[in-house]
Amino acid sequence: MAWTLLPRGSRPLEPGSAPSVSIQEGLSGLQAMKLRRVLLVLLLVGGFWYVTTHLPSSLDSQSLSHFSLFGVRGSSSPLELTEAQAAPVYDAEEQNNIAVYKRVLPSVVNITSTTLVFNFFYGTVPQQGQGSGFILDHAGHVLTNYHVVEGANRGIKVMLSNKHNYDAKVVGTDKVHDLALLQIDAPSLQPVTLADSADLSVGQKVYAIGNPFGLSGTMTRGIISSIRSIRGSEGAPIEDAIQTDAAINPGNSGGPLLNSRGEVIGINTMIASNGADQSSGIGFAIPINTAKAVLADLTRYGRVKRPSLGIVSYAIGPDLASQMGLAVDSGVLIQKVVPGGAAERAGLRGGNQQAYVGNTPIMLGGDLIVAIDGQEVSDPDSINALMDKHQAGDTISVTLYRGHKQMTIKLILGEARGTST
Protein backbone atom coordinates (compact mmCIF):
# COMPACT_ATOMS: atom_id res chain seq x y z
CA MET A 1 0.00 0.00 0.00
CA ALA A 2 1.38 3.34 -0.90
CA TRP A 3 1.10 6.38 1.30
CA THR A 4 0.63 9.79 -0.21
CA LEU A 5 1.54 12.82 1.72
CA LEU A 6 -1.18 15.34 1.55
CA PRO A 7 -0.52 18.98 1.37
CA ARG A 8 -1.23 20.90 4.60
CA GLY A 9 -4.94 21.83 4.69
CA SER A 10 -5.88 19.64 1.81
CA ARG A 11 -8.87 18.31 3.70
CA PRO A 12 -10.66 18.91 6.99
CA LEU A 13 -10.29 16.61 9.94
CA GLU A 14 -13.02 14.20 10.51
CA PRO A 15 -14.67 14.17 13.90
CA GLY A 16 -12.81 12.03 16.43
CA SER A 17 -9.72 11.74 14.30
CA ALA A 18 -6.23 12.80 15.61
CA PRO A 19 -4.51 15.70 13.95
CA SER A 20 -1.61 14.92 11.77
CA VAL A 21 1.68 16.86 11.90
CA SER A 22 3.84 17.26 8.95
CA ILE A 23 7.66 17.02 9.06
CA GLN A 24 7.86 20.60 7.97
CA GLU A 25 5.72 21.74 10.91
CA GLY A 26 7.87 19.72 13.43
CA LEU A 27 11.03 21.30 12.14
CA SER A 28 9.52 24.76 12.44
CA GLY A 29 8.63 24.20 16.13
CA LEU A 30 12.13 23.04 16.98
CA GLN A 31 13.63 26.05 15.30
CA ALA A 32 11.30 28.36 17.24
CA MET A 33 12.39 26.80 20.57
CA LYS A 34 16.05 27.27 19.70
CA LEU A 35 15.36 30.80 18.64
CA ARG A 36 13.72 31.57 21.99
CA ARG A 37 16.76 30.21 23.82
CA VAL A 38 19.09 32.31 21.71
CA LEU A 39 16.96 35.38 22.33
CA LEU A 40 17.01 34.73 26.12
CA VAL A 41 20.83 34.44 26.11
CA LEU A 42 21.12 37.61 24.05
CA LEU A 43 18.78 39.36 26.47
CA LEU A 44 20.88 38.35 29.49
CA VAL A 45 24.15 39.30 27.79
CA GLY A 46 22.70 42.57 26.62
CA GLY A 47 21.37 43.34 30.09
CA PHE A 48 24.74 42.67 31.70
CA TRP A 49 26.46 44.83 29.08
CA TYR A 50 23.99 47.64 29.73
CA VAL A 51 24.39 47.48 33.48
CA THR A 52 28.19 47.57 33.32
CA THR A 53 28.47 50.28 30.70
CA HIS A 54 25.50 52.58 31.28
CA LEU A 55 25.38 52.99 35.09
CA PRO A 56 25.89 56.58 36.36
CA SER A 57 29.55 57.55 36.93
CA SER A 58 28.77 58.42 40.58
CA LEU A 59 28.15 54.74 41.34
CA ASP A 60 31.64 53.82 42.53
CA SER A 61 33.14 50.53 43.58
CA GLN A 62 31.89 50.96 47.15
CA SER A 63 28.32 51.29 45.88
CA LEU A 64 28.70 48.34 43.50
CA SER A 65 29.61 46.15 46.41
CA HIS A 66 26.05 46.66 47.64
CA PHE A 67 24.34 46.40 44.24
CA SER A 68 22.86 43.34 42.51
CA LEU A 69 21.12 42.80 39.22
CA PHE A 70 17.94 42.18 41.14
CA GLY A 71 18.14 45.43 43.10
CA VAL A 72 18.94 43.75 46.46
CA ARG A 73 21.55 45.45 48.71
CA GLY A 74 24.20 43.46 50.56
CA SER A 75 23.70 42.37 54.13
CA SER A 76 26.37 44.74 55.61
CA SER A 77 25.88 48.48 55.93
CA PRO A 78 28.22 50.81 54.02
CA LEU A 79 31.40 52.08 55.78
CA GLU A 80 31.03 55.67 56.92
CA LEU A 81 34.11 57.50 58.33
CA THR A 82 34.02 60.69 60.38
CA GLU A 83 37.11 62.82 59.84
CA ALA A 84 38.30 65.90 61.69
CA GLN A 85 37.61 69.14 59.88
CA ALA A 86 40.61 70.99 61.38
CA ALA A 87 44.01 70.46 62.98
CA PRO A 88 43.92 69.52 66.70
CA VAL A 89 43.98 72.30 69.26
CA TYR A 90 46.41 71.52 72.11
CA ASP A 91 45.55 72.54 75.64
CA ALA A 92 47.96 74.60 77.74
CA GLU A 93 49.57 71.55 79.34
CA GLU A 94 50.16 69.82 76.02
CA GLN A 95 51.60 73.00 74.55
CA ASN A 96 54.09 73.23 77.42
CA ASN A 97 55.08 69.56 77.02
CA ILE A 98 55.74 70.10 73.33
CA ALA A 99 57.63 73.36 73.93
CA VAL A 100 59.93 71.79 76.54
CA TYR A 101 60.68 68.83 74.27
CA LYS A 102 61.47 70.96 71.21
CA ARG A 103 63.65 73.33 73.23
CA VAL A 104 65.74 70.72 75.07
CA LEU A 105 65.98 67.81 72.60
CA PRO A 106 68.88 69.36 70.58
CA SER A 107 70.90 69.54 73.83
CA VAL A 108 70.46 65.86 74.80
CA VAL A 109 72.98 63.33 73.46
CA ASN A 110 73.26 59.57 73.19
CA ILE A 111 76.54 58.19 74.57
CA THR A 112 78.04 54.84 73.51
CA SER A 113 81.13 53.56 75.32
CA THR A 114 83.20 50.60 74.12
CA THR A 115 85.20 48.40 76.47
CA LEU A 116 87.31 45.34 75.74
CA VAL A 117 86.38 42.47 78.04
CA PHE A 118 87.56 38.88 78.28
CA ASN A 119 85.17 36.13 77.21
CA PHE A 120 86.04 32.54 78.15
CA PHE A 121 85.04 31.18 74.72
CA TYR A 122 85.97 34.04 72.39
CA GLY A 123 88.83 35.73 74.22
CA THR A 124 88.96 39.53 74.27
CA VAL A 125 85.80 40.99 72.75
CA PRO A 126 84.37 44.54 72.61
CA GLN A 127 81.39 45.33 74.81
CA GLN A 128 79.24 48.42 74.40
CA GLY A 129 77.25 50.39 76.94
CA GLN A 130 74.76 53.15 76.33
CA GLY A 131 73.60 56.16 78.25
CA SER A 132 72.58 59.79 77.90
CA GLY A 133 74.11 63.17 78.54
CA PHE A 134 73.54 66.86 77.85
CA ILE A 135 75.53 69.73 76.35
CA LEU A 136 76.77 72.36 78.80
CA ASP A 137 78.34 74.96 76.49
CA HIS A 138 79.30 75.84 72.93
CA ALA A 139 82.81 74.46 73.55
CA GLY A 140 81.32 70.95 73.50
CA HIS A 141 81.41 69.99 77.18
CA VAL A 142 78.95 67.17 77.91
CA LEU A 143 77.86 66.07 81.39
CA THR A 144 76.88 62.46 82.09
CA ASN A 145 77.17 59.75 84.75
CA TYR A 146 80.53 58.21 85.61
CA HIS A 147 79.10 54.71 85.31
CA VAL A 148 78.08 55.42 81.68
CA VAL A 149 81.74 55.78 80.60
CA GLU A 150 83.46 53.72 83.30
CA GLY A 151 86.13 51.41 81.83
CA ALA A 152 85.64 52.70 78.28
CA ASN A 153 89.12 51.78 77.01
CA ARG A 154 88.15 51.63 73.34
CA GLY A 155 86.52 54.98 72.85
CA ILE A 156 83.39 56.97 73.53
CA LYS A 157 80.95 58.13 70.85
CA VAL A 158 78.48 60.97 71.29
CA MET A 159 75.49 61.16 68.93
CA LEU A 160 73.56 64.42 68.71
CA SER A 161 69.84 64.68 68.05
CA ASN A 162 70.62 65.31 64.36
CA LYS A 163 72.18 61.79 64.23
CA HIS A 164 75.74 63.09 63.74
CA ASN A 165 78.38 61.14 65.69
CA TYR A 166 81.52 62.55 67.31
CA ASP A 167 84.43 61.07 69.24
CA ALA A 168 84.51 62.25 72.85
CA LYS A 169 87.39 62.66 75.24
CA VAL A 170 87.10 62.44 79.01
CA VAL A 171 87.91 65.75 80.66
CA GLY A 172 87.42 64.48 84.21
CA THR A 173 85.44 62.12 86.40
CA ASP A 174 84.04 62.09 89.91
CA LYS A 175 83.33 58.52 90.96
CA VAL A 176 82.00 59.54 94.36
CA HIS A 177 79.22 61.69 92.86
CA ASP A 178 78.86 59.46 89.75
CA LEU A 179 79.65 62.30 87.35
CA ALA A 180 81.80 62.52 84.24
CA LEU A 181 82.65 65.49 82.03
CA LEU A 182 83.27 64.81 78.33
CA GLN A 183 84.12 67.06 75.40
CA ILE A 184 83.36 66.84 71.68
CA ASP A 185 84.38 69.00 68.73
CA ALA A 186 81.12 69.82 66.96
CA PRO A 187 79.60 72.95 65.40
CA SER A 188 76.42 74.83 66.31
CA LEU A 189 75.83 73.20 69.67
CA GLN A 190 72.82 74.17 71.80
CA PRO A 191 73.57 74.17 75.56
CA VAL A 192 71.02 73.51 78.27
CA THR A 193 70.01 76.01 80.95
CA LEU A 194 70.89 74.98 84.51
CA ALA A 195 68.39 75.74 87.28
CA ASP A 196 68.89 76.07 91.04
CA SER A 197 68.02 72.76 92.70
CA ALA A 198 68.05 74.16 96.24
CA ASP A 199 64.38 75.13 96.35
CA LEU A 200 62.63 72.18 94.73
CA SER A 201 59.24 71.07 96.03
CA VAL A 202 57.61 67.66 96.21
CA GLY A 203 54.76 67.59 93.72
CA GLN A 204 56.23 69.87 91.10
CA LYS A 205 56.19 68.64 87.51
CA VAL A 206 59.37 67.23 85.95
CA TYR A 207 60.45 65.81 82.60
CA ALA A 208 63.15 63.29 81.72
CA ILE A 209 64.67 63.18 78.23
CA GLY A 210 67.12 60.48 77.22
CA ASN A 211 67.68 57.22 75.41
CA PRO A 212 66.01 54.41 77.41
CA PHE A 213 66.89 51.00 75.94
CA GLY A 214 68.56 52.87 73.06
CA LEU A 215 65.33 54.63 72.02
CA SER A 216 66.82 58.04 71.37
CA GLY A 217 64.90 61.22 72.00
CA THR A 218 62.39 59.78 74.47
CA MET A 219 60.61 62.11 76.90
CA THR A 220 58.71 60.98 79.99
CA ARG A 221 56.84 63.06 82.54
CA GLY A 222 56.13 62.87 86.26
CA ILE A 223 56.49 64.76 89.51
CA ILE A 224 59.07 65.07 92.26
CA SER A 225 58.05 62.29 94.65
CA SER A 226 60.53 63.12 97.40
CA ILE A 227 63.85 64.76 98.15
CA ARG A 228 66.00 62.48 100.25
CA SER A 229 69.54 61.34 100.90
CA ILE A 230 70.45 58.00 99.30
CA ARG A 231 73.57 55.99 98.67
CA GLY A 232 74.87 55.64 95.15
CA SER A 233 76.13 52.52 93.44
CA GLU A 234 79.56 52.99 95.03
CA GLY A 235 78.05 53.43 98.50
CA ALA A 236 78.80 57.15 98.64
CA PRO A 237 75.94 59.35 99.86
CA ILE A 238 73.95 61.48 97.42
CA GLU A 239 72.55 64.36 99.44
CA ASP A 240 69.19 65.84 98.46
CA ALA A 241 68.69 63.30 95.68
CA ILE A 242 65.56 63.97 93.61
CA GLN A 243 63.13 61.06 93.65
CA THR A 244 60.66 61.03 90.76
CA ASP A 245 57.97 58.81 89.25
CA ALA A 246 58.86 59.90 85.71
CA ALA A 247 59.79 56.69 83.89
CA ILE A 248 63.58 56.25 83.99
CA ASN A 249 65.08 53.11 82.45
CA PRO A 250 68.52 51.79 81.46
CA GLY A 251 69.84 54.26 78.90
CA ASN A 252 68.39 57.28 80.72
CA SER A 253 71.48 57.44 82.95
CA GLY A 254 73.26 60.76 82.57
CA GLY A 255 70.31 62.49 80.92
CA PRO A 256 68.68 65.65 82.25
CA LEU A 257 65.77 65.92 84.66
CA LEU A 258 63.95 69.14 83.81
CA ASN A 259 61.47 71.49 85.45
CA SER A 260 58.39 72.77 83.63
CA ARG A 261 60.46 75.57 82.04
CA GLY A 262 62.88 73.09 80.49
CA GLU A 263 65.74 73.93 82.88
CA VAL A 264 67.98 71.16 84.23
CA ILE A 265 67.41 70.43 87.91
CA GLY A 266 69.14 67.04 88.07
CA ILE A 267 71.05 64.24 86.34
CA ASN A 268 69.14 60.95 86.10
CA THR A 269 71.34 58.32 87.68
CA MET A 270 69.59 55.26 89.12
CA ILE A 271 66.30 53.43 89.64
CA ALA A 272 64.81 51.30 92.39
CA SER A 273 63.70 48.26 90.40
CA ASN A 274 63.88 45.33 92.85
CA GLY A 275 65.98 43.42 90.34
CA ALA A 276 63.68 43.97 87.35
CA ASP A 277 66.17 46.33 85.64
CA GLN A 278 63.36 48.59 84.48
CA SER A 279 61.29 51.48 85.81
CA SER A 280 59.14 50.82 88.84
CA GLY A 281 58.10 54.43 89.27
CA ILE A 282 61.00 55.19 91.64
CA GLY A 283 63.92 56.92 89.97
CA PHE A 284 66.63 59.19 91.36
CA ALA A 285 68.53 62.15 90.00
CA ILE A 286 71.65 63.88 91.32
CA PRO A 287 70.74 67.52 92.08
CA ILE A 288 72.30 69.91 89.58
CA ASN A 289 73.75 72.02 92.38
CA THR A 290 75.94 69.06 93.34
CA ALA A 291 77.22 68.94 89.76
CA LYS A 292 77.89 72.68 89.75
CA ALA A 293 80.10 72.24 92.81
CA VAL A 294 82.43 69.86 90.95
CA LEU A 295 82.34 71.17 87.36
CA ALA A 296 84.90 73.90 87.99
CA ASP A 297 87.38 71.36 89.37
CA LEU A 298 86.76 68.95 86.49
CA THR A 299 87.46 71.59 83.87
CA ARG A 300 90.44 73.07 85.74
CA TYR A 301 92.14 69.99 87.16
CA GLY A 302 90.57 67.02 85.39
CA ARG A 303 89.45 65.69 88.76
CA VAL A 304 87.43 66.85 91.75
CA LYS A 305 89.37 68.37 94.62
CA ARG A 306 86.71 67.54 97.18
CA PRO A 307 87.06 69.57 100.38
CA SER A 308 87.58 67.74 103.62
CA LEU A 309 87.86 68.39 107.34
CA GLY A 310 90.50 65.67 107.55
CA ILE A 311 88.83 63.57 110.25
CA VAL A 312 87.57 60.04 110.82
CA SER A 313 84.23 60.45 112.57
CA TYR A 314 81.36 58.60 114.23
CA ALA A 315 77.70 59.68 114.64
CA ILE A 316 76.51 60.06 118.22
CA GLY A 317 72.81 59.84 119.16
CA PRO A 318 71.00 60.55 122.45
CA ASP A 319 71.54 57.06 123.92
CA LEU A 320 75.29 57.05 123.31
CA ALA A 321 75.63 60.67 124.42
CA SER A 322 73.97 59.81 127.73
CA GLN A 323 76.18 56.76 128.29
CA MET A 324 79.31 58.75 127.47
CA GLY A 325 78.31 61.71 129.62
CA LEU A 326 78.50 64.20 126.74
CA ALA A 327 77.27 67.78 127.06
CA VAL A 328 74.75 67.48 124.18
CA ASP A 329 72.47 64.76 122.82
CA SER A 330 73.93 64.42 119.31
CA GLY A 331 76.86 65.34 117.11
CA VAL A 332 79.82 63.92 115.21
CA LEU A 333 82.58 62.51 117.41
CA ILE A 334 86.11 62.88 116.05
CA GLN A 335 87.74 59.46 116.22
CA LYS A 336 90.96 60.50 114.59
CA VAL A 337 92.46 63.54 112.89
CA VAL A 338 94.31 62.87 109.62
CA PRO A 339 97.98 63.84 109.88
CA GLY A 340 98.58 67.06 107.98
CA GLY A 341 94.84 67.52 107.39
CA ALA A 342 92.70 70.59 107.97
CA ALA A 343 91.49 69.50 111.42
CA GLU A 344 94.99 68.82 112.72
CA ARG A 345 96.22 72.17 111.43
CA ALA A 346 93.31 73.93 113.18
CA GLY A 347 94.00 72.16 116.48
CA LEU A 348 90.99 69.77 116.56
CA ARG A 349 91.52 66.64 118.66
CA GLY A 350 90.78 62.98 118.08
CA GLY A 351 89.99 60.24 120.63
CA ASN A 352 92.49 58.69 122.99
CA GLN A 353 90.52 55.86 124.63
CA GLN A 354 89.20 52.79 122.84
CA ALA A 355 85.71 51.47 123.49
CA TYR A 356 83.15 49.31 121.70
CA VAL A 357 79.62 49.93 120.45
CA GLY A 358 78.45 46.37 119.97
CA ASN A 359 81.33 44.85 118.00
CA THR A 360 82.40 48.19 116.51
CA PRO A 361 85.49 49.78 118.06
CA ILE A 362 85.40 53.55 118.55
CA MET A 363 87.75 56.08 120.11
CA LEU A 364 86.49 58.23 122.96
CA GLY A 365 87.81 61.55 124.26
CA GLY A 366 87.85 63.51 121.00
CA ASP A 367 86.05 66.72 120.09
CA LEU A 368 82.29 66.50 119.36
CA ILE A 369 81.31 68.62 116.33
CA VAL A 370 77.75 69.96 116.55
CA ALA A 371 77.60 72.62 113.80
CA ILE A 372 79.45 73.96 110.74
CA ASP A 373 78.87 77.56 109.70
CA GLY A 374 75.95 77.62 112.11
CA GLN A 375 74.22 74.60 110.53
CA GLU A 376 73.62 71.63 112.82
CA VAL A 377 75.37 68.37 111.95
CA SER A 378 74.41 64.98 113.37
CA ASP A 379 76.30 62.43 111.26
CA PRO A 380 79.11 62.21 108.66
CA ASP A 381 76.58 62.43 105.79
CA SER A 382 75.41 65.85 106.94
CA ILE A 383 79.05 66.99 106.98
CA ASN A 384 79.50 65.63 103.43
CA ALA A 385 76.43 67.56 102.30
CA LEU A 386 77.97 70.78 103.64
CA MET A 387 81.31 69.96 102.00
CA ASP A 388 79.55 69.77 98.61
CA LYS A 389 78.84 73.48 98.98
CA HIS A 390 82.53 74.33 99.42
CA GLN A 391 85.86 73.87 97.73
CA ALA A 392 89.27 73.00 99.08
CA GLY A 393 90.79 76.17 100.52
CA ASP A 394 87.52 77.63 101.80
CA THR A 395 87.41 78.81 105.42
CA ILE A 396 84.58 77.53 107.62
CA SER A 397 83.56 77.85 111.28
CA VAL A 398 83.34 74.63 113.27
CA THR A 399 81.32 74.58 116.51
CA LEU A 400 82.33 71.77 118.87
CA TYR A 401 82.38 70.57 122.45
CA ARG A 402 85.65 69.66 124.11
CA GLY A 403 84.43 67.92 127.22
CA HIS A 404 81.68 70.24 128.43
CA LYS A 405 83.22 73.38 126.94
CA GLN A 406 81.73 74.78 123.72
CA MET A 407 84.19 76.23 121.19
CA THR A 408 84.08 77.72 117.68
CA ILE A 409 87.21 77.28 115.57
CA LYS A 410 88.06 78.65 112.11
CA LEU A 411 89.29 75.97 109.75
CA ILE A 412 90.69 76.04 106.19
CA LEU A 413 89.36 73.04 104.25
CA GLY A 414 91.84 70.63 102.79
CA GLU A 415 91.45 68.12 99.93
CA ALA A 416 89.74 64.79 100.57
CA ARG A 417 91.98 61.75 100.66
CA GLY A 418 90.98 58.13 101.20
CA THR A 419 87.95 57.57 103.47
CA SER A 420 88.25 60.64 105.68
CA THR A 421 85.50 63.26 105.92
Side-chain angles (χ1 to χ4, degrees), residues 309 369-375 377 383 386-387 396-399:
L309 292 176
I369 299 175
V370 294
I372 293 177
D373 287 338
Q375 297 186 45
V377 295
I383 293 180
L386 290 170
M387 293 300 99
I396 62 173
S397 297
V398 179
T399 302

Side-chain angles (χ1 to χ4, degrees), residues 142-351:
V142 175
L143 187 63
T144 186
N145 283 142
Y146 171 77
H147 72 260
V148 171
V149 299
E150 182 179 10
N153 52 20
R154 283 300 180 268
I156 301 170
K157 291 282 188 181
V158 170
M159 184 176 72
L160 304 182
S161 62
N162 59 13
K163 307 304 179 184
H164 289 177
N165 284 278
Y166 299 91
D167 291 324
K169 66 177 181 179
V170 179
V171 175
T173 61
D174 181 8
K175 188 174 182 179
V176 172
H177 294 103
D178 195 19
L179 295 173
L181 184 65
L182 313 179
Q183 189 169 19
I184 60 174
D185 184 10
S188 305
L189 296 176
Q190 182 173 321
V192 297
T193 300
L194 304 182
D196 183 356
S197 60
D199 297 317
L200 301 178
S201 298
V202 173
Q204 77 176 79
K205 187 186 304 180
V206 293
Y207 303 93
I209 299 181
N211 308 286
F213 301 111
L215 302 173
S216 60
T218 298
M219 181 172 81
T220 55
R221 187 187 70 170
I223 62 170
I224 294 179
S225 304
S226 180
I227 298 174
R228 65 176 76 246
S229 296
I230 63 171
R231 291 200 171 271
S233 57
E234 298 295 325
I238 301 176
E239 300 298 328
D240 299 324
I242 306 167
Q243 180 183 329
T244 177
D245 65 349
I248 297 175
N249 287 288
N252 274 117
S253 291
L257 187 70
L258 311 159
N259 61 20
S260 59
R261 296 182 298 277
E263 301 164 342
V264 180
I265 59 173
I267 304 102
N268 300 317
T269 186
M270 59 189 297
I271 57 177
S273 59
N274 294 325
D277 202 26
Q278 62 186 13
S279 176
S280 60
I282 301 178
F284 295 96
I286 301 167
I288 195 63
N289 283 7
T290 298
K292 290 177 184 178
V294 301
L295 282 174
D297 283 352
L298 289 178
T299 54
R300 185 178 303 173
Y301 307 110
R303 61 185 178 86
V304 178
K305 298 178 66 175
R306 296 196 337 271
S308 171
L309 292 176
I311 62 174
V312 177
S313 59
Y314 189 87
I316 299 296
D319 292 341
L320 274 179
S322 176
Q323 294 177 27
M324 297 166 60
L326 300 180
V328 291
D329 289 340
S330 63
V332 177
L333 183 66
I334 299 178
Q335 304 278 289
K336 175 185 176 183
V337 293
V338 177
E344 184 184 60
R345 294 195 302 269
L348 274 63
R349 299 177 183 177

Side-chain angles (χ1 to χ4, degrees), residues 119 134 136 188 399 416:
N119 182 284
F134 51 93
L136 292 174
S188 305
T399 302

